Structure formats: C-alpha cells, structure tokens
C-alpha cells in the first residue's frame, strides 16, 4: 500500500481564499475589516518568524493587523495592560499572544485576560474548558488542533467510533487535539513521555496524531496497516546537502510509514499551513461575532 498524501497546502489555500472573499464582501458592504493584534514578548527567533508570517497572511487576505513587540523584561502588569487596551479596541477582533512567553511571565494570567470574544487562538481557559465539556461550544478552537480535524475530514474516513491515538498532551496541540477527537466521537488514547510501550498503543490506532517534537519517532512497525496519520511535528535535522544545512522532518518516518498507512500528511506541507489558515478563519469569525 502507498498512502494518499493529505495535502495541507491545498486545503489551507482553499480556506484562505474563502476568508479573503468574505473579508472583501465585508469591505464592500461597509462592515468592519477583521483585525488581528499580535503580542510578541521577547526575541525568540522562531516566534518572530511565526508572528511575521501571521501578519503576512493578514495582509494577503485583506485583514488588518496590529503588531505589538515587547521586551522580555516587560513587567507582567504592563503586558496585562496591553491586553486590556486591545480588548477595548474596536479595530481589533482577535488577539494572539505568541507562546511560549519568556520565563517569569504567568501565561495563565495573560490568557485569562484575553476577551473571550477575541480569543482567536482558543487558549482562554474558559474556551478550553468548554472544549472538554459535553454540550458546550467554545467560541474558538485552537488553530493547529482545528487544522488537524479539518485535514482528517478531507480523507473521507469517518472519525466516529474509530480508535484514535494522540502522541503528546501539550496545552497547545496534543490535549486540544484529543478533546476535539472525543467531540468527533472517536475513542481516544492520549500518550505522553511517561506512556509505556508506545508502539503497542499506536498499533491500535485507526487514526494516529503525532505531536511530540521528536524527529521520525513513529516507525512503520508502530502503525496499523491502513491507518490515517497526521504528523504535527516540525523538527530540524542536520543535512549538509541542503542549502540551509538542515531539513524539516515530522515526528513520523514518512517514507516507511507511507507504505503502511492509508493516508498521511507530509512535513512540510501538511499541518503547518493549516495553523495560519485556521487563525485567519477565527479572526474573520471574531469580526462576524462583533457585528
Ligand atoms: P511540547 O514540547 O509542548 O509537548 C510535547 C509533548 O510530547 C508532551 O506532551 C510530551 O510529554 C510528549 N513527548 C515528548 N517526548 C515524548 C516521547 N519520547 N514519547 C511520548 N511522548 C513524548 O510540544 P508541542 O505540543 O508544542 O509541539 C509538538 C510538535 O508539534 C513540535 O514538533 C512542534 O514544533 C510542532 N508544532 C507544529 C505546529 C504546526 O503548526 N504544524 C504548531 C505547534 C507545534 P509530557 O507531557 O509527558 O512532557
């Protein structure tokens, strides 16, 4: 078997196109233009790259964006004051605090402060709480996990009743993915660094989501034949033959797992592009909710 490649670039482009169209319609109708404010604290180069690409996406799709960069020495109360200002700014429909915050900040206090109506990252504890509760609907769902579900849905494989295994339980990826899969009526196993004998667990998975950040950890013999594989991991591995001296790989050994699975996301070009597409989708939704 050679798995179908799940094309995240294509799906993300479709979502972005739809957002751009709806933003243009809003402009034409004299409605507010969706606005995203980003808050970056410190100078982590990877976070700077992520924030820049979010602004670029806003620009391309016709959304407004507002950039706030604060030094890592900023006192917590100043960051909270900024969030308050953004909560009260009618031009801002979505607030994205780039995580992780530098050491010394209370991420929990900051995320609690973001207005629920502007929580386009979906990390407000109330939104995450609602995600975990039956019969509740969070205003926003975290972007990468939402992208994982959208990608699964493109395969045409029904999630309901399937055994899903999620590797990783972080607040931003693994746990919300597991919660979303429960909401989709899968039977979900959440694995982490203390889980024992991972291959025996992953081999039960009809749907396997890898979000651990360990290059090519998932091997072919970890995978049940015909499983659907979503690889969230982004890892740099040294490669002297590459122009930059490294290449990106996922948490899944793509070439060998491809021969066993029925569908698989590549890295890059799988989950990665979906994150920003879902952020743009959520920011448009925030503007619509504010109408
Ligand atoms: P974290 O480091 O926050 O979490 C990693 C999780 O994996 C933890 O739950 C940890 O367990 C678990 N873990 C670590 N090592 C092992 C192991 N050997 N066996 C089993 N579980 C293990 O990472 P993130 O969730 O933030 O990110 C995960 C990956 O996804 C990274 O590669 C990151 O770059 C990528 N990513 C991609 C995005 C995209 O847009 N495509 C967006 C965000 C992240 P424990 O809880 O016990 O410590």
């Amino acid at each position: 078997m050679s798995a179908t490649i799940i094309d995240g670039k294509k799906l993300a482009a479709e979502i972005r196109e739809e957002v751009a169209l709806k933003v243009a319609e809003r402009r034409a109708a004299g409605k507010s233009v969706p606005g995203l404010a980003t808050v970056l604290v410190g100078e982590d180069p990877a976070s700077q790259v992520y924030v820049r690409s979010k602004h670029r996406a806003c620009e391309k799709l016709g959304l407004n964006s507002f950039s706030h960069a604060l030094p890592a020495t900023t006192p917590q109360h100043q960051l909270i004051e900024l969030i308050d200002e953004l909560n009260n700014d009618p031009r801002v429909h979505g607030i994205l605090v780039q995580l992780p915050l530098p050491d010394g900040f209370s991420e929990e206090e900051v995320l609690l402060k973001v207005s629920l109506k502007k929580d386009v990252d979906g990390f407000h504890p109330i939104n995450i709480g609602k995600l975990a509760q039956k019969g509740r609907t969070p205003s926003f769902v975290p972007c990468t996990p939402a992208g994982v579900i959208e990608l699964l849905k493109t395969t045409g494989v029904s999630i309901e009743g399937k055994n899903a295994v999620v590797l990783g339980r972080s607040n931003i990826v693994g746990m919300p993915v597991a919660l979303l899969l429960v909401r989709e009526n899968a039977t979900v196993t959440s694995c982490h660094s203390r889980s024992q004998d991972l291959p025996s667990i992953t081999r039960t998975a009809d749907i396997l989501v890898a979000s651990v950040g360990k290059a090519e950890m998932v091997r072919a013999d970890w995978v049940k034949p015909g499983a659907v594989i979503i690889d969230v991991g982004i890892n740099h591995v040294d490669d002297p033959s590459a122009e930059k001296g490294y290449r990106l790989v996922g948490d899944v050994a793509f070439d060998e797992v491809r021969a066993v699975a029925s569908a698989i996301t590549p890295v890059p070009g799988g989950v990665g592009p979906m994150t920003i597409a879902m952020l743009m989708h959520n920011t448009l939704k925030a503007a619509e909710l504010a109408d």
Side-chain angles (χ1 to χ4, degrees), residues 7 11 18-19 24 26 28 35 49 71 78 96 100-101 109 113 124 139-140 175-176 201 217 230 234 268 279:
D7 190 345
L11 180 59
E18 199 181 310
V19 170
R26 289 182 66 85
V49 170
Q78 254 182 41
L96 180 140
L101 290 169
E109 191 195 0
K113 199 71 196 173
H124 190 292
S139 325
F140 298 97
M175 191 48 72
I201 302 171
M217 184 174 94
I230 306 289
I234 302 174
L279 175 66

Side-chain angles (χ1 to χ4, degrees), residues 177-194:
V177 166
L179 294 173
L180 281 168
L181 285 166
V182 169
R183 290 175 85 88
E184 296 288 338
N185 299 317
T187 303
V188 181
T189 307
S190 164
C191 299
H192 43 76
S193 64
R194 316 289 166 87

Side-chain angles (χ1 to χ4, degrees), residues 148-278:
V148 167
I149 300 297
E150 292 302 315
L151 287 167
L152 277 173
K153 288 186 173 168
T154 64
T155 63
V157 171
S158 126
I159 301 174
E160 181 160 330
K162 295 286 166 27
N163 287 337
V165 172
V166 182
L167 298 176
R169 58 173 167 184
S170 71
N171 289 341
I172 62 168
V173 188
M175 191 48 72
V177 166
L179 294 173
L180 281 168
L181 285 166
V182 169
R183 290 175 85 88
E184 296 288 338
N185 299 317
T187 303
V188 181
T189 307
S190 164
C191 299
H192 43 76
S193 64
R194 316 289 166 87
S195 299
Q196 301 292 307
D197 191 8
L198 283 177
S200 72
I201 302 171
T202 55
R203 276 195 292 269
T204 66
D206 304 304
I207 295 167
L208 176 59
V209 180
S211 53
V212 288
K214 301 272 177 233
E216 301 182 322
M217 184 174 94
V218 176
R219 314 304 305 194
D221 62 357
W222 291 38
V223 173
K224 177 176 173 176
V228 176
I229 314 289
I230 306 289
D231 190 354
V232 186
I234 302 174
N235 308 288
H236 292 70
V237 295
D238 292 340
D239 182 354
S241 69
E243 199 179 308
K244 293 181 176 163
Y246 69 86
R247 65 194 161 86
L248 294 181
V249 299
D251 290 345
V252 176
F254 182 83
D255 289 331
E256 55 180 82
V257 169
R258 190 183 174 183
V260 183
S262 63
I264 185 168
T265 56
V267 176
V271 177
M274 291 299 292
T275 299
I276 291 186
M278 299 315 294

Side-chain angles (χ1 to χ4, degrees), residues 72-99:
T73 51
T74 304
Q76 168 97 3
H77 74 86
Q78 254 182 41
L79 175 56
I80 296 289
E81 279 160 25
L82 171 61
I83 305 287
D84 248 344
E85 268 172 45
L86 298 173
N87 281 339
N88 293 317
D89 186 338
R91 298 168 306 161
V92 172
H93 300 95
I95 301 171
L96 180 140
V97 180
Q98 186 64 41
L99 301 178

Side-chain angles (χ1 to χ4, degrees), residues 12-83:
E14 286 166 11
I15 293 168
R16 289 166 65 119
E17 206 173 297
E18 199 181 310
V19 170
L21 195 75
K22 289 198 173 145
V23 171
E25 281 171 7
R26 289 182 66 85
R27 276 183 194 273
K31 291 185 174 169
S32 64
V33 174
L36 174 71
T38 62
V39 179
L40 173 64
V41 186
E43 289 176 358
D44 176 61
S47 292
Q48 287 173 331
V49 170
Y50 293 140
V51 166
R52 266 202 302 276
S53 51
K54 287 164 188 173
H55 285 278
R56 249 197 327 269
C58 285
E59 203 178 310
K60 278 199 176 147
L61 274 52
L63 286 78
N64 291 330
S65 68
F66 310 93
S67 168
H68 297 270
L70 305 176
T73 51
T74 304
Q76 168 97 3
H77 74 86
Q78 254 182 41
L79 175 56
I80 296 289
E81 279 160 25
L82 171 61
I83 305 287

